Amino acid sequence: MTPPAISEFWAWWAQARPTIEASLAAGPDQPEPETPGEGLSAEAIEELSRRVHKIHPGLQWEIGGAEDRAPSLTVTGGGDPELRGLTERWARSAPSGSAAGGWSFHPARQPDPEMLTQNLVLGDHEFDLEYVRLGMRADTDRARVHVTVYHPDFLFVSEEQRLQVALNVLNWALGEDDVARWIGEVAIATEAPIDALPPSMLSAVVEQVAEPFAEPVWLTGEGRTPRGHPARLGARFPLHRQDYPLCDLHVAVTVPYAHSNPDRLPVEPSASALRDFEKKLARLGDRAVLAVRETGDGLRVFHLYADPDSGVVSELDQLAAGWPEGKAKVASTSDPGWRALTPYQP
C-alpha cells in the first residue's frame, strides 16, 4: 500500500513540474553550488523540500541532469536502511513513459563518475576532487572493501567536511546502494595512504570482491540452546538490504519437528520434511527472502524478510498450518533496518 504522502507528492509533482522546469531553465536566484536543486528558485526548493519531508523528515532530495543530460530527481534516505523501503515505494509510484516528461526518478543516489573530476564546494571551502586518493583493503571474509579517503585539504577543514567529501566521492564512484552493499569501514587520512588509487578505480576493486558472491552461500555454525543442548545456525551470505528494498517485515516461522536424536537435533524423516519446507520458502521470490535458520531443542526457526504489501504473510500462515509434525507459528515485526540480522553478521 502506497503511503498517502507519496500519492500526494506525485499528484503535486504532475502540477508543479512545468514550474520547476521553468525555474531550472531560468537559473537560480542566488547561485549556491552546494544546494541540492542548483538552478531552482528558493520558492521551488522550499516547496519540494516540504513535500519530500512530509513523506519522512529524514529524506533528502537532489535534482540532476545538467547540460546535455535528461533531468532526474533522486529521493534518498542518505544510506539509512530504515528509509530504503520508503524511497523505493516513492520511486515505484513515479510516472513513467510519456507521463514522466523525460525525467528519471531514483530511490538512491546513482553513480556519477564525471563528478569525480569536478570541484566540490562545502561551506567556504572548494575541494578539487582530482586530488582525492583512496586506500583500499579487500576483506574477502566479510565481502567488503575497507576504504581510507585522502585529500591534501583535509589538513585545513573540519572532520564533518572531511566525512562529507568522503561520502560524496564514494556515492559518485559506486552509487549509494553499492556503497551500502560492499563498502566496510571508511577512514579519513591527512597523509596519502600507501598504494593509494584514484576513486575511479574503486568500482573495479569492488567487482573483484563481489565476484565470488554472485550466488549467495550459507554460512553454518554451532552453538547452544538456552537449555544447553547443541544448536545449529545457518545464515545466507551475503544478504543485502538493497536487493530486497520492499522487504520491511521480519517474519519468524517456528516449526517443531517430531524426530530427533539425543541432542534434540532433527533426523529422518523430519530432516527431509524440513528441507522440503525450506524449498517452499525459496519459491516466494522477491516477496520474501530467507535470511537465517536456527535449529535446536526440537524446533527450527526460519527468519525471513518480507514485503508487507505482497500478501506473502498469509501464504506463510498457510504453509505453517499445513506442517504435519506439530503446531508451527508465524510471528512478524516491522524491521525496515533489518536490525534482527545484526547478531548473525560475520
Side-chain angles (χ1 to χ4, degrees):
M1 179 178 163
T2 304
I6 290 179
S7 301
E8 290 170 15
F9 178 93
W10 290 119
W12 165 80
W13 176 263
Q15 304 296 320
R17 179 165 62 84
T19 306
I20 287 172
E21 289 173 345
S23 176
L24 288 169
D29 297 339
Q30 295 177 321
E32 293 184 38
E34 65 268 31
T35 54
E38 184 183 357
L40 281 185
S41 67
E43 183 182 353
I45 289 173
E46 184 179 345
E47 181 63 13
L48 188 48
S49 296
R50 189 179 75 80
R51 297 281 177 170
V52 168
H53 291 154
K54 192 174 179 183
I55 300 171
H56 192 284
L59 296 179
Q60 306 160 18
W61 62 270
E62 292 176 357
I63 284 180
E67 297 172 1
D68 58 338
R69 290 190 287 179
S72 65
L73 175 62
T74 299
V75 170
T76 167
D80 183 349
E82 298 269 350
L83 300 175
R84 187 61 184 80
L86 197 57
T87 62
E88 187 73 19
R89 287 177 173 84
W90 170 85
R92 293 194 186 198
S93 301
S96 58
S98 60
W103 285 72
S104 58
F105 304 99
H106 305 293
R109 291 185 176 96
Q110 302 298 293
D112 193 352
E114 285 183 31
M115 292 299 295
L116 299 173
T117 63
Q118 308 295 316
N119 288 2
L120 173 63
V121 178
L122 294 174
D124 58 359
H125 198 94
E126 187 169 352
F127 297 88
D128 183 346
L129 298 183
E130 294 270 19
Y131 289 100
V132 173
R133 291 294 179 269
L134 304 180
M136 307 179 207
R137 180 168 59 86
D139 183 345
T140 51
D141 291 337
R142 292 181 59 219
R144 295 274 177 171
V145 177
H146 304 302
V147 178
T148 301
V149 184
Y150 164 78
H151 190 288
D153 292 4
F154 282 173
L155 283 168
F156 316 115
V157 299
S158 69
E159 187 70 16
E160 182 183 356
Q161 285 176 308
R162 296 170 181 176
L163 289 171
Q164 280 184 281
V165 171
L167 189 58
N168 276 300
V169 165
L170 293 175
N171 283 334
W172 286 327
L174 291 179
E176 192 172 45
D177 280 349
D178 269 353
V179 169
R181 287 182 182 101
W182 305 112
I183 299 300
E185 298 162 8
V186 178
I188 300 297
T190 52
E191 294 183 12
I194 297 172
D195 299 330
L197 295 168
S200 58
M201 297 299 296
L202 180 59
S203 60
V205 175
V206 164
E207 281 177 20
Q208 290 179 345
V209 169
E211 187 179 13
F213 301 99
E215 292 295 327
V217 298
W218 281 88
L219 303 181
T220 57
E222 297 184 352
R224 292 277 165 182
T225 70
R227 297 178 183 177
H229 295 126
R232 289 180 183 160
L233 176 73
R236 180 179 165 130
F237 179 80
L239 180 60
H240 299 126
R241 172 76 179 92
Q242 297 69 30
D243 294 335
Y244 299 90
L246 298 180
C247 292
D248 291 338
L249 196 67
H250 172 248
V251 185
V253 183
T254 304
V255 179
Y257 46 87
H259 305 275
S260 60
N261 62 18
D263 285 333
R264 305 285 320 275
L265 292 170
V267 297
E268 296 298 346
S270 292
S272 291
L274 288 167
R275 283 194 295 271
D276 289 342
F277 188 88
E278 185 170 325
K279 286 177 183 175
K280 293 175 182 175
L281 297 179
R283 295 188 197 121
L284 297 172
D286 290 343
R287 297 178 300 147
V289 57
L290 177 60
V292 173
R293 55 176 180 248
E294 296 177 286
T295 309
D297 272 336
L299 297 173
R300 176 165 292 175
V301 183
F302 297 97
H303 295 271
L304 302 98
Y305 276 89
D307 176 356
D309 301 325
S310 68
V312 75
V313 175
S314 63
E315 288 183 42
L316 290 169
D317 285 335
Q318 290 174 357
L319 270 178
W323 177 251
E325 297 190 19
K327 184 172 176 55
K329 299 177 183 177
V330 178
S332 58
T333 311
S334 179
D335 182 15
W338 289 24
R339 296 177 184 273
L341 285 193
T342 303
Y344 308 104
Q345 299 300 308

